[in-house]
Amino acid sequence: MSDELRVLGACPLDCPDTCSWVVTVQDGKATQMRGNPDNPYTRGALCVKVNRYLEHAGADDRILYPLRRVGPKGSGRFERITWDEALDEISTRLTAIIDEHGGEAIWPYQGTGTLGYLQGEAGEAGRRLWNALGASRHDLNICSRAGNYGLLWTNGTPGGMDPENLALSRLILLWGTNPLTSGHHLWKFVQDAQKNGAYVVAIDPIRTRSAERADEHLPIRPGTDGALALGLLNVVLSEGAEDRDYLENHTLGWDEFREEILKYPPSRVAEITGLPEESIHNLGRRLAHTRPTAIRAAQGIQRHEGGGAALRTLSCIPGVTGDWRHPGGGIAYSTSGHMPLTVDTRPDLLARPVRKLTMTRLADGLENTAEPVKCLWVYGANPLGSSPDQVRIRRAMAREDLFTVVMEQFPTDTTDYADIVLPATMQIEHMDLHAGYGHMYLLWNEPAVEPPGECLSTTETFRRLARHLGLTEPSLYDSDLELAEQLLSGGHPFLEGVTLDRLRKEGWVRLNIGDPFTPFADGFPTPSGRLEFVSARAVAAGLPRIPVFVPSMTARTAAPAGYPLTLITPASHNFLNTIFGNNPELLRRAKGPRVLLNAEDAAARGLTDGQRVRVFNPTGEFMADVEVSDKVRPGVAATTKGHWAKLTPGGANANAVVGERDADMGRGPVYHDNFVQVAAL
């Protein structure tokens, strides 16, 4: 009998949990994958999506060889070619583009298909090569940018409390997050807190899986979270429960922010949010007198025109209540702000400064005729499935003068528009270094099996391309292990005792931080060293001195004639962004695109449960089946993201109705801030 190997690895997907996993290998084949039982966060469990990862890696539609387009763009018709043929053609085309238009005509469009520091977005994989070519910079703003800035102006970092410390909390506010779908390992710590008497409140426009298991659900009107935060603080002040000692010694600008809070009594906030005034009073009193209180806010809350301001305001709550003093108190948004890895993309390789092209403005960028994009290089991304303004992107990518290369594992909507497709490895086939944005661990992924067909890792693909281009810069050829050593070489105190050898042996290592971790008990990484209610940096960025309520577009303006519903598009329980969107079993479980409507809104349109409808606005349209439900309030329509357009009725998904508009900070996207109409077909 052959030997059985257990290979330690890590999930690469866009989820805060970044699970540690164990792959069983026999006769060179991966036969089983399970969560690592030794990891305190993963605790032996994977999600419903990743439980099918090995099946997915061996799927019949996996891309295994380089391909060249032979049909019209969008047709998905290709012929197999060799790697040398692919790289020769790419090198020739890139050289010609650079000679005629300059390197900035190349747009390296990287996404969050993997969050790895070697193969993925966390380390800006490939950026050294793009700098050597003088390519445009890619602004990867699609996920959490607005919220990051909101927290930065207040706390000096998007990093906050260790989510594991929710187990120590007495009051937990799940604010715009559904962890049972989008990071279910957090729920174990919520349950631990509940067993010790904690009260859990879900603040969400949808009664999600998590909201159903909370002690209380507040179905807030989309885009009004900042007003609720100010209203809750108003109650804290009326109760005389602000932590005056903490405010005096650890905050800046309290008197000015206090005046803003006083403008939002519960009566006014009830009108704005659509919540009962009594519910606001009750939660405010609970917040005033419960220590420690933890706020878990995730990316969905900031995907509207006031998203950054919402997170900026939420981040002030622990400063007023003094919760940062206490283990189990504070706000948890993204722990990535605490990760001290050194990413050296070699900006010195740029001959001169280059422009930045924004990820969620892909259609705008491709339609720019004054400074045209002549090469779009897509990796770790499926913009035709995940980016706003799907109709315009499709039209722009059909340009015959746009040379498009896509590095992919499956024939997505985006690969159908490629000139060259390069087969990419999956996580069990390459090495990578990871840091979760929902916990405080570094993880190593060791390849468990050889890549199928002729699939190559991201790093190896760029090394081979550099050779074909005749580039001689030594750093372009650093091995994966050399890159990993460089990442760990910064000397930050959090990395004390963390070595590559240890990571490869143990699979994961907790950062060298306190346990429990109380990051702001004594100060903040801001210019003043305090929590900044008043922020000079915000003013320099053209923002208000203090946090103010900035409503979403749909909460701020009257609905335009004919489009009365606010559409929100949260994560699917069965897909991760568009990953797994072609998995037969997960497709079956997802049951096709659905749009949730309150019974009142369905009746007004003569719609019944299960009826096929058209969801539309001037930007575009998609088809879905109605689910009549009290999970959403009147005036709100909800559908999930992740469906592949070409596998859905009508050939479009929800992003067909999402416009290319910006949030208030960081040019974040506005996926939850769109007016639509729903009508029978």
Side-chain angles (χ1 to χ4, degrees):
M1 179 178 290
S2 60
D3 290 334
E4 185 176 88
L5 301 177
R6 294 174 70 256
V7 182
L8 300 176
C11 180
L13 303 182
D14 186 9
C15 166
D17 291 9
T18 312
C19 291
S20 174
W21 69 33
V22 183
V23 180
T24 301
V25 179
Q26 197 161 15
D27 296 327
K29 294 183 179 180
T31 59
Q32 184 184 44
M33 174 185 287
R34 60 176 299 201
N36 188 342
D38 298 328
N39 181 273
Y41 202 82
T42 304
R43 294 190 190 177
L46 299 174
C47 68
V48 295
K49 301 172 275 284
V50 177
N51 273 330
R52 310 198 78 85
Y53 196 85
L54 295 186
E55 168 193 306
H56 199 54
D60 291 340
D61 57 345
R62 179 90 185 265
I63 296 172
L64 301 178
Y65 304 98
L67 304 172
R68 177 193 290 125
R69 177 171 64 90
V70 295
K73 288 197 173 187
S75 67
R77 291 167 48 197
F78 298 94
E79 64 178 0
R80 178 179 168 181
I81 57 176
T82 67
W83 266 102
D84 280 341
E85 288 174 318
L87 293 174
D88 284 345
E89 182 170 338
I90 290 169
S91 299
T92 299
R93 294 289 296 271
L94 289 182
T95 300
I97 288 169
I98 293 169
D99 288 346
E100 184 175 354
H101 302 281
E104 288 176 282
I106 302 169
W107 187 348
Y109 192 96
Q110 183 179 20
T112 59
T114 170
L115 302 189
Y117 277 85
L118 302 182
Q119 312 298 341
E121 65 86 22
E124 296 185 64
R127 189 63 240 177
R128 291 181 181 181
L129 173 64
W130 303 126
N131 285 342
L133 296 178
S136 291
R137 291 177 58 202
H138 176 62
D139 182 20
L140 203 157
N141 69 323
I142 200 166
C143 190
S144 55
R145 179 66 62 75
N148 282 346
Y149 274 102
L151 288 156
L152 179 70
W153 303 141
T154 305
N155 294 338
T157 172
M161 64 181 292
D162 180 352
E164 289 187 52
N165 287 348
L166 264 68
L168 306 175
S169 307
R170 301 293 292 176
L171 173 63
I172 297 175
L173 307 184
L174 299 175
W175 208 317
T177 183
N178 178 19
L180 282 172
T181 282
S182 302
H184 74 93
H185 295 83
L186 183 74
W187 199 257
K188 295 188 289 289
F189 303 102
V190 174
Q191 288 179 311
D192 290 343
Q194 285 180 310
K195 290 174 184 176
N196 292 322
Y199 191 80
V200 179
V201 182
I203 303 168
D204 199 302
I206 306 173
R207 194 174 73 246
T208 63
R209 292 170 184 259
S210 303
E212 288 177 340
R213 290 162 177 78
D215 296 296
E216 183 179 358
H217 171 220
L218 297 183
I220 192 170
R221 186 182 179 194
T224 64
D225 304 277
L228 178 59
L230 291 167
L232 295 177
L233 288 175
N234 186 286
V235 178
V236 171
L237 292 184
S238 69
E239 294 283 307
E242 68 271 28
D243 188 328
R244 296 184 180 122
D245 177 71
Y246 193 85
L247 287 166
E248 181 178 351
N249 292 297
H250 298 294
T251 72
L252 180 71
W254 166 238
D255 289 341
E256 192 170 340
F257 183 52
R258 184 179 184 276
E259 292 303 311
E260 187 69 17
I261 293 170
L262 294 176
K263 298 175 184 177
Y264 287 86
S267 57
R268 181 187 181 192
V269 173
E271 292 179 3
I272 295 170
T273 63
L275 297 172
E277 185 176 342
E278 182 182 9
S279 296
I280 298 167
H281 268 295
N282 290 343
L283 182 56
R285 283 192 289 266
R286 196 180 288 275
L287 173 64
H289 301 294
T290 309
R291 305 276 76 75
T293 288
I295 301 170
R296 171 57 171 161
Q299 283 64 40
I301 194 176
Q302 46 94 64
R303 288 179 178 150
H304 64 81
E305 285 190 3
L311 264 296
R312 186 180 178 191
T313 308
L314 261 65
S315 68
C316 293
I317 293 176
V320 177
T321 61
D323 271 295
W324 286 122
R325 295 182 185 273
H326 310 289
I331 185 169
Y333 179 66
S334 174
T335 57
S336 58
H338 295 305
M339 295 301 162
L341 300 185
T342 302
V343 179
D344 183 7
T345 59
R346 294 296 305 277
D348 59 298
L349 297 179
L350 282 167
R352 60 179 180 82
V354 296
R355 66 178 173 177
K356 180 188 291 185
L357 295 170
T358 301
M359 184 177 194
T360 54
R361 291 292 191 134
L362 178 58
D364 281 353
L366 294 182
E367 290 174 352
N368 183 349
T369 56
E371 298 177 277
V373 174
K374 291 295 184 177
C375 173
L376 181 68
W377 189 295
V378 180
Y379 57 120
N382 178 19
L384 269 173
S386 294
S387 295
D389 224 333
Q390 196 173 93
V391 175
R392 287 174 62 212
I393 293 174
R394 191 182 302 275
R395 184 169 59 241
M397 289 190 67
R399 283 173 33 201
E400 281 298 328
D401 69 324
L402 177 67
F403 179 55
T404 301
V405 179
V406 179
M407 298 162 64
E408 247 299 348
Q409 300 152 354
F410 294 98
T412 65
D413 295 292
T414 303
T415 61
D416 286 351
Y417 285 80
D419 294 288
I420 299 289
V421 179
L422 301 177
T425 49
M426 294 180 67
Q427 187 75 343
I428 58 173
E429 301 150 7
H430 58 230
M431 60 179 60
D432 212 341
L433 178 63
H434 289 266
Y437 61 91
H439 58 62
M440 304 298 293
Y441 299 90
L442 292 179
L443 304 97
W444 179 258
N445 184 78
E446 193 73 17
V449 295
E450 291 295 319
E454 296 177 4
C455 296
L456 293 181
S457 68
T458 302
T459 47
E460 181 58 23
T461 297
F462 287 133
R463 284 189 285 260
R464 292 194 185 189
L465 177 58
R467 291 190 187 95
H468 273 258
L469 287 166
L471 300 177
T472 58
E473 164 57 41
S475 68
L476 301 180
Y477 302 99
D478 286 349
S479 70
D480 289 357
L481 291 177
E482 288 172 325
L483 292 170
E485 290 281 12
Q486 293 164 22
L487 286 160
L488 296 169
S489 66
H492 193 282
F494 285 5
L495 291 177
E496 185 177 344
V498 181
T499 65
L500 182 55
D501 286 344
R502 184 182 172 193
L503 274 171
R504 296 188 74 183
K505 179 181 179 181
E506 299 178 17
W508 56 271
V509 177
R510 182 173 169 85
L511 292 178
N512 182 41
I513 56 176
D515 191 8
F517 178 51
T518 51
F520 310 132
D522 300 311
F524 294 80
T526 58
S528 67
R530 294 167 172 252
L531 183 149
E532 295 190 346
F533 298 122
V534 170
S535 171
R537 290 188 296 177
V539 172
L543 298 166
R545 282 170 51 84
I546 58 171
V548 297
F549 170 48
V550 179
S552 65
M553 178 194 71
T554 57
R556 181 183 72 246
T557 61
Y563 307 101
L565 299 172
T566 297
L567 179 71
I568 54 179
T569 57
S572 167
H573 197 71
N574 296 290
F575 311 139
L576 205 157
N577 301 330
T578 61
I579 295 172
F580 303 108
N582 60 324
N583 180 275
E585 175 57 22
L586 293 174
L587 273 170
R588 183 190 68 79
R589 295 182 187 182
K591 300 179 182 177
R594 292 177 294 163
V595 58
L596 272 64
L597 290 180
N598 187 275
E600 179 182 316
D601 290 323
R605 292 160 177 76
L607 302 175
T608 58
D609 198 69
Q611 186 173 357
R612 180 67 51 84
V613 295
R614 172 177 167 246
V615 184
F616 62 98
N617 62 17
T619 302
E621 67 177 28
F622 67 97
M623 309 303 173
D625 294 335
V626 167
E627 181 178 333
V628 180
S629 174
D630 63 357
K631 292 180 179 179
V632 292
R633 58 186 299 136
V636 173
T639 190
T640 54
K641 64 180 180 179
H643 285 279
W644 287 18
K646 67 181 182 180
L647 299 182
T648 60
N653 67 20
N655 288 329
V657 302
V658 178
E660 277 194 348
R661 307 188 334 269
D662 297 337
D664 54 337
M665 299 180 192
R667 305 197 71 182
V670 293
Y671 289 107
H672 303 325
D673 197 10
N674 298 276
F675 285 117
V676 299
Q677 180 59 286
V678 178
L681 289 175

mmCIF file of all heavy atoms in Angstrom, residues 124-156:
data_model
loop_
_atom_site.group_PDB
_atom_site.id
_atom_site.type_symbol
_atom_site.label_atom_id
_atom_site.label_comp_id
_atom_site.label_asym_id
_atom_site.label_seq_id
_atom_site.Cartn_x
_atom_site.Cartn_y
_atom_site.Cartn_z
ATOM 1 N N GLU A 124 0.450 41.917 -4.247
ATOM 2 C CA GLU A 124 0.467 42.527 -5.586
ATOM 3 C C GLU A 124 1.302 41.695 -6.546
ATOM 4 O O GLU A 124 2.220 42.194 -7.213
ATOM 5 C CB GLU A 124 0.988 43.962 -5.539
ATOM 6 C CG GLU A 124 0.112 44.907 -4.740
ATOM 7 C CD GLU A 124 0.600 46.346 -4.814
ATOM 8 O OE1 GLU A 124 0.591 46.911 -5.918
ATOM 9 O OE2 GLU A 124 1.004 46.884 -3.774
ATOM 10 N N ALA A 125 0.981 40.413 -6.632
ATOM 11 C CA ALA A 125 1.744 39.489 -7.475
ATOM 12 C C ALA A 125 1.887 40.042 -8.888
ATOM 13 O O ALA A 125 0.921 40.490 -9.503
ATOM 14 C CB ALA A 125 1.043 38.129 -7.514
ATOM 15 N N GLY A 126 3.110 40.020 -9.396
ATOM 16 C CA GLY A 126 3.391 40.501 -10.739
ATOM 17 C C GLY A 126 3.737 41.966 -10.827
ATOM 18 O O GLY A 126 4.151 42.440 -11.891
ATOM 19 N N ARG A 127 3.620 42.717 -9.735
ATOM 20 C CA ARG A 127 3.811 44.162 -9.809
ATOM 21 C C ARG A 127 5.240 44.529 -10.190
ATOM 22 O O ARG A 127 5.469 45.548 -10.861
ATOM 23 C CB ARG A 127 3.445 44.793 -8.477
ATOM 24 C CG ARG A 127 3.390 46.320 -8.486
ATOM 25 C CD ARG A 127 2.311 46.856 -9.421
ATOM 26 N NE ARG A 127 2.861 47.699 -10.467
ATOM 27 C CZ ARG A 127 2.138 48.254 -11.444
ATOM 28 N NH1 ARG A 127 0.851 48.026 -11.514
ATOM 29 N NH2 ARG A 127 2.709 49.004 -12.346
ATOM 30 N N ARG A 128 6.220 43.711 -9.791
ATOM 31 C CA ARG A 128 7.595 44.020 -10.180
ATOM 32 C C ARG A 128 7.734 44.021 -11.703
ATOM 33 O O ARG A 128 8.369 44.910 -12.287
ATOM 34 C CB ARG A 128 8.564 43.010 -9.567
ATOM 35 C CG ARG A 128 8.714 43.110 -8.067
ATOM 36 C CD ARG A 128 9.711 42.080 -7.545
ATOM 37 N NE ARG A 128 9.858 42.153 -6.096
ATOM 38 C CZ ARG A 128 10.665 41.384 -5.385
ATOM 39 N NH1 ARG A 128 11.427 40.472 -5.991
ATOM 40 N NH2 ARG A 128 10.730 41.511 -4.072
ATOM 41 N N LEU A 129 7.135 43.026 -12.335
ATOM 42 C CA LEU A 129 7.201 42.956 -13.797
ATOM 43 C C LEU A 129 6.507 44.155 -14.421
ATOM 44 O O LEU A 129 7.023 44.784 -15.354
ATOM 45 C CB LEU A 129 6.558 41.656 -14.288
ATOM 46 C CG LEU A 129 6.412 41.521 -15.817
ATOM 47 C CD1 LEU A 129 7.775 41.499 -16.489
ATOM 48 C CD2 LEU A 129 5.624 40.266 -16.160
ATOM 49 N N TRP A 130 5.317 44.494 -13.909
ATOM 50 C CA TRP A 130 4.591 45.623 -14.487
ATOM 51 C C TRP A 130 5.366 46.918 -14.298
ATOM 52 O O TRP A 130 5.359 47.786 -15.184
ATOM 53 C CB TRP A 130 3.197 45.724 -13.871
ATOM 54 C CG TRP A 130 2.365 44.485 -14.031
ATOM 55 C CD1 TRP A 130 1.738 43.781 -13.049
ATOM 56 C CD2 TRP A 130 2.096 43.784 -15.256
ATOM 57 N NE1 TRP A 130 1.083 42.690 -13.582
ATOM 58 C CE2 TRP A 130 1.288 42.667 -14.934
ATOM 59 C CE3 TRP A 130 2.455 43.988 -16.583
ATOM 60 C CZ2 TRP A 130 0.829 41.768 -15.891
ATOM 61 C CZ3 TRP A 130 2.006 43.092 -17.552
ATOM 62 C CH2 TRP A 130 1.212 42.003 -17.195
ATOM 63 N N ASN A 131 6.055 47.060 -13.163
ATOM 64 C CA ASN A 131 6.876 48.255 -12.970
ATOM 65 C C ASN A 131 8.026 48.300 -13.973
ATOM 66 O O ASN A 131 8.366 49.363 -14.504
ATOM 67 C CB ASN A 131 7.429 48.296 -11.548
ATOM 68 C CG ASN A 131 6.367 48.688 -10.531
ATOM 69 O OD1 ASN A 131 5.325 49.241 -10.879
ATOM 70 N ND2 ASN A 131 6.634 48.405 -9.265
ATOM 71 N N ALA A 132 8.624 47.153 -14.225
ATOM 72 C CA ALA A 132 9.724 47.108 -15.199
ATOM 73 C C ALA A 132 9.245 47.488 -16.593
ATOM 74 O O ALA A 132 10.015 48.041 -17.389
ATOM 75 C CB ALA A 132 10.348 45.711 -15.213
ATOM 76 N N LEU A 133 7.969 47.210 -16.889
ATOM 77 C CA LEU A 133 7.413 47.541 -18.202
ATOM 78 C C LEU A 133 6.792 48.931 -18.238
ATOM 79 O O LEU A 133 6.385 49.401 -19.310
ATOM 80 C CB LEU A 133 6.349 46.508 -18.596
ATOM 81 C CG LEU A 133 6.831 45.067 -18.790
ATOM 82 C CD1 LEU A 133 5.666 44.153 -19.129
ATOM 83 C CD2 LEU A 133 7.912 44.987 -19.862
ATOM 84 N N GLY A 134 6.705 49.584 -17.083
ATOM 85 C CA GLY A 134 6.094 50.912 -17.044
ATOM 86 C C GLY A 134 4.586 50.880 -17.181
ATOM 87 O O GLY A 134 3.974 51.872 -17.621
ATOM 88 N N ALA A 135 3.956 49.761 -16.800
ATOM 89 C CA ALA A 135 2.507 49.624 -16.936
ATOM 90 C C ALA A 135 1.779 50.518 -15.939
ATOM 91 O O ALA A 135 2.329 50.946 -14.921
ATOM 92 C CB ALA A 135 2.105 48.166 -16.720
ATOM 93 N N SER A 136 0.512 50.785 -16.234
ATOM 94 C CA SER A 136 -0.320 51.551 -15.313
ATOM 95 C C SER A 136 -0.442 50.818 -13.981
ATOM 96 O O SER A 136 -0.377 49.587 -13.917
ATOM 97 C CB SER A 136 -1.715 51.762 -15.907
ATOM 98 O OG SER A 136 -1.681 52.627 -17.015
ATOM 99 N N ARG A 137 -0.636 51.585 -12.926
ATOM 100 C CA ARG A 137 -0.914 50.999 -11.616
ATOM 101 C C ARG A 137 -2.383 50.615 -11.547
ATOM 102 O O ARG A 137 -3.241 51.296 -12.099
ATOM 103 C CB ARG A 137 -0.581 51.990 -10.501
ATOM 104 C CG ARG A 137 0.894 52.258 -10.328
ATOM 105 C CD ARG A 137 1.114 53.314 -9.261
ATOM 106 N NE ARG A 137 0.538 52.908 -7.977
ATOM 107 C CZ ARG A 137 0.202 53.763 -7.011
ATOM 108 N NH1 ARG A 137 0.367 55.060 -7.193
ATOM 109 N NH2 ARG A 137 -0.292 53.317 -5.872
ATOM 110 N N HIS A 138 -2.647 49.515 -10.863
ATOM 111 C CA HIS A 138 -4.014 49.013 -10.700
ATOM 112 C C HIS A 138 -4.481 49.333 -9.293
ATOM 113 O O HIS A 138 -3.856 48.940 -8.302
ATOM 114 C CB HIS A 138 -4.020 47.498 -10.941
ATOM 115 C CG HIS A 138 -5.342 46.844 -10.707
ATOM 116 N ND1 HIS A 138 -6.464 47.161 -11.437
ATOM 117 C CD2 HIS A 138 -5.726 45.877 -9.830
ATOM 118 C CE1 HIS A 138 -7.477 46.405 -11.031
ATOM 119 N NE2 HIS A 138 -7.053 45.639 -10.044
ATOM 120 N N ASP A 139 -5.580 50.071 -9.187
ATOM 121 C CA ASP A 139 -6.138 50.438 -7.890
ATOM 122 C C ASP A 139 -7.186 49.404 -7.511
ATOM 123 O O ASP A 139 -8.317 49.451 -7.990
ATOM 124 C CB ASP A 139 -6.756 51.834 -7.978
ATOM 125 C CG ASP A 139 -7.308 52.314 -6.649
ATOM 126 O OD1 ASP A 139 -6.897 51.766 -5.608
ATOM 127 O OD2 ASP A 139 -8.153 53.228 -6.651
ATOM 128 N N LEU A 140 -6.800 48.439 -6.645
ATOM 129 C CA LEU A 140 -7.684 47.345 -6.272
ATOM 130 C C LEU A 140 -8.589 47.819 -5.126
ATOM 131 O O LEU A 140 -8.312 47.605 -3.958
ATOM 132 C CB LEU A 140 -6.867 46.116 -5.870
ATOM 133 C CG LEU A 140 -7.562 44.766 -5.981
ATOM 134 C CD1 LEU A 140 -6.539 43.637 -6.101
ATOM 135 C CD2 LEU A 140 -8.463 44.504 -4.786
ATOM 136 N N ASN A 141 -9.681 48.468 -5.503
ATOM 137 C CA ASN A 141 -10.549 49.139 -4.535
ATOM 138 C C ASN A 141 -11.889 48.445 -4.346
ATOM 139 O O ASN A 141 -12.784 48.976 -3.699
ATOM 140 C CB ASN A 141 -10.823 50.571 -5.000
ATOM 141 C CG ASN A 141 -11.699 50.606 -6.248
ATOM 142 O OD1 ASN A 141 -11.579 49.752 -7.128
ATOM 143 N ND2 ASN A 141 -12.585 51.582 -6.331
ATOM 144 N N ILE A 142 -12.052 47.239 -4.890
ATOM 145 C CA ILE A 142 -13.379 46.660 -5.026
ATOM 146 C C ILE A 142 -13.970 46.171 -3.715
ATOM 147 O O ILE A 142 -15.184 46.049 -3.583
ATOM 148 C CB ILE A 142 -13.338 45.498 -6.053
ATOM 149 C CG1 ILE A 142 -14.738 45.193 -6.596
ATOM 150 C CG2 ILE A 142 -12.690 44.254 -5.453
ATOM 151 C CD1 ILE A 142 -14.734 44.315 -7.833
ATOM 152 N N CYS A 143 -13.153 45.923 -2.719
ATOM 153 C CA CYS A 143 -13.658 45.200 -1.549
ATOM 154 C C CYS A 143 -13.991 46.089 -0.369
ATOM 155 O O CYS A 143 -15.156 46.265 -0.016
ATOM 156 C CB CYS A 143 -12.642 44.132 -1.137
ATOM 157 S SG CYS A 143 -13.272 43.004 0.109
ATOM 158 N N SER A 144 -12.999 46.686 0.267
ATOM 159 C CA SER A 144 -13.211 47.302 1.582
ATOM 160 C C SER A 144 -12.646 48.708 1.691
ATOM 161 O O SER A 144 -12.440 49.209 2.788
ATOM 162 C CB SER A 144 -12.579 46.419 2.666
ATOM 163 O OG SER A 144 -11.213 46.190 2.386
ATOM 164 N N ARG A 145 -12.413 49.354 0.565
ATOM 165 C CA ARG A 145 -11.661 50.602 0.565
ATOM 166 C C ARG A 145 -12.331 51.723 1.353
ATOM 167 O O ARG A 145 -11.693 52.396 2.157
ATOM 168 C CB ARG A 145 -11.446 51.045 -0.881
ATOM 169 C CG ARG A 145 -10.692 52.360 -1.043
ATOM 170 C CD ARG A 145 -9.257 52.273 -0.564
ATOM 171 N NE ARG A 145 -8.500 51.318 -1.313
ATOM 172 C CZ ARG A 145 -8.055 51.512 -2.560
ATOM 173 N NH1 ARG A 145 -8.317 52.647 -3.195
ATOM 174 N NH2 ARG A 145 -7.349 50.587 -3.178
ATOM 175 N N ALA A 146 -13.622 51.977 1.127
ATOM 176 C CA ALA A 146 -14.277 53.098 1.814
ATOM 177 C C ALA A 146 -14.220 52.910 3.327
ATOM 178 O O ALA A 146 -13.904 53.837 4.077
ATOM 179 C CB ALA A 146 -15.721 53.235 1.336
ATOM 180 N N GLY A 147 -14.527 51.711 3.779
ATOM 181 C CA GLY A 147 -14.480 51.440 5.213
ATOM 182 C C GLY A 147 -13.080 51.553 5.781
ATOM 183 O O GLY A 147 -12.893 52.029 6.912
ATOM 184 N N ASN A 148 -12.080 51.113 5.026
ATOM 185 C CA ASN A 148 -10.693 51.242 5.476
ATOM 186 C C ASN A 148 -10.351 52.696 5.787
ATOM 187 O O ASN A 148 -9.736 53.005 6.813
ATOM 188 C CB ASN A 148 -9.731 50.707 4.414
ATOM 189 C CG ASN A 148 -9.655 49.193 4.388
ATOM 190 O OD1 ASN A 148 -10.116 48.526 5.311
ATOM 191 N ND2 ASN A 148 -9.086 48.646 3.337
ATOM 192 N N TYR A 149 -10.755 53.593 4.870
ATOM 193 C CA TYR A 149 -10.455 55.003 5.087
ATOM 194 C C TYR A 149 -11.228 55.558 6.280
ATOM 195 O O TYR A 149 -10.696 56.357 7.064
ATOM 196 C CB TYR A 149 -10.760 55.813 3.825
ATOM 197 C CG TYR A 149 -9.612 55.850 2.849
ATOM 198 C CD1 TYR A 149 -9.600 55.044 1.720
ATOM 199 C CD2 TYR A 149 -8.531 56.689 3.064
ATOM 200 C CE1 TYR A 149 -8.548 55.066 0.828
ATOM 201 C CE2 TYR A 149 -7.466 56.726 2.171
ATOM 202 C CZ TYR A 149 -7.476 55.910 1.052
ATOM 203 O OH TYR A 149 -6.417 55.935 0.175
ATOM 204 N N GLY A 150 -12.486 55.149 6.426
ATOM 205 C CA GLY A 150 -13.257 55.621 7.560
ATOM 206 C C GLY A 150 -12.610 55.284 8.883
ATOM 207 O O GLY A 150 -12.542 56.112 9.808
ATOM 208 N N LEU A 151 -12.098 54.077 9.000
ATOM 209 C CA LEU A 151 -11.409 53.659 10.221
ATOM 210 C C LEU A 151 -10.046 54.334 10.354
ATOM 211 O O LEU A 151 -9.603 54.654 11.464
ATOM 212 C CB LEU A 151 -11.250 52.146 10.231
ATOM 213 C CG LEU A 151 -12.549 51.370 10.463
ATOM 214 C CD1 LEU A 151 -12.452 49.974 9.895
ATOM 215 C CD2 LEU A 151 -12.880 51.311 11.943
ATOM 216 N N LEU A 152 -9.390 54.540 9.238
ATOM 217 C CA LEU A 152 -8.069 55.173 9.257
ATOM 218 C C LEU A 152 -8.137 56.577 9.854
ATOM 219 O O LEU A 152 -7.297 56.954 10.683
ATOM 220 C CB LEU A 152 -7.502 55.232 7.845
ATOM 221 C CG LEU A 152 -6.126 55.889 7.678
ATOM 222 C CD1 LEU A 152 -5.049 55.019 8.294
ATOM 223 C CD2 LEU A 152 -5.826 56.134 6.196
ATOM 224 N N TRP A 153 -9.155 57.360 9.462
ATOM 225 C CA TRP A 153 -9.238 58.737 9.954
ATOM 226 C C TRP A 153 -9.464 58.766 11.462
ATOM 227 O O TRP A 153 -9.066 59.721 12.127
ATOM 228 C CB TRP A 153 -10.373 59.492 9.259
ATOM 229 C CG TRP A 153 -10.309 59.548 7.771
ATOM 230 C CD1 TRP A 153 -11.366 59.445 6.904
ATOM 231 C CD2 TRP A 153 -9.159 59.748 6.934
ATOM 232 N NE1 TRP A 153 -10.948 59.543 5.598
ATOM 233 C CE2 TRP A 153 -9.591 59.733 5.588
ATOM 234 C CE3 TRP A 153 -7.795 59.915 7.186
ATOM 235 C CZ2 TRP A 153 -8.726 59.892 4.513
ATOM 236 C CZ3 TRP A 153 -6.929 60.061 6.112
ATOM 237 C CH2 TRP A 153 -7.386 60.053 4.804
ATOM 238 N N THR A 154 -10.113 57.728 12.014
ATOM 239 C CA THR A 154 -10.414 57.723 13.446
ATOM 240 C C THR A 154 -9.329 57.027 14.260
ATOM 241 O O THR A 154 -8.784 57.589 15.216
ATOM 242 C CB THR A 154 -11.763 57.022 13.702
ATOM 243 O OG1 THR A 154 -12.763 57.647 12.911
ATOM 244 C CG2 THR A 154 -12.146 57.099 15.170
ATOM 245 N N ASN A 155 -9.018 55.787 13.883
ATOM 246 C CA ASN A 155 -8.111 54.951 14.683
ATOM 247 C C ASN A 155 -6.681 54.931 14.175
ATOM 248 O O ASN A 155 -5.793 54.399 14.851
ATOM 249 C CB ASN A 155 -8.618 53.511 14.722
ATOM 250 C CG ASN A 155 -9.939 53.381 15.455
ATOM 251 O OD1 ASN A 155 -10.291 54.234 16.259
ATOM 252 N ND2 ASN A 155 -10.675 52.317 15.172
ATOM 253 N N GLY A 156 -6.454 55.409 12.963
ATOM 254 C CA GLY A 156 -5.119 55.366 12.382
ATOM 255 C C GLY A 156 -4.826 54.088 11.634
ATOM 256 O O GLY A 156 -3.759 53.946 11.034
#
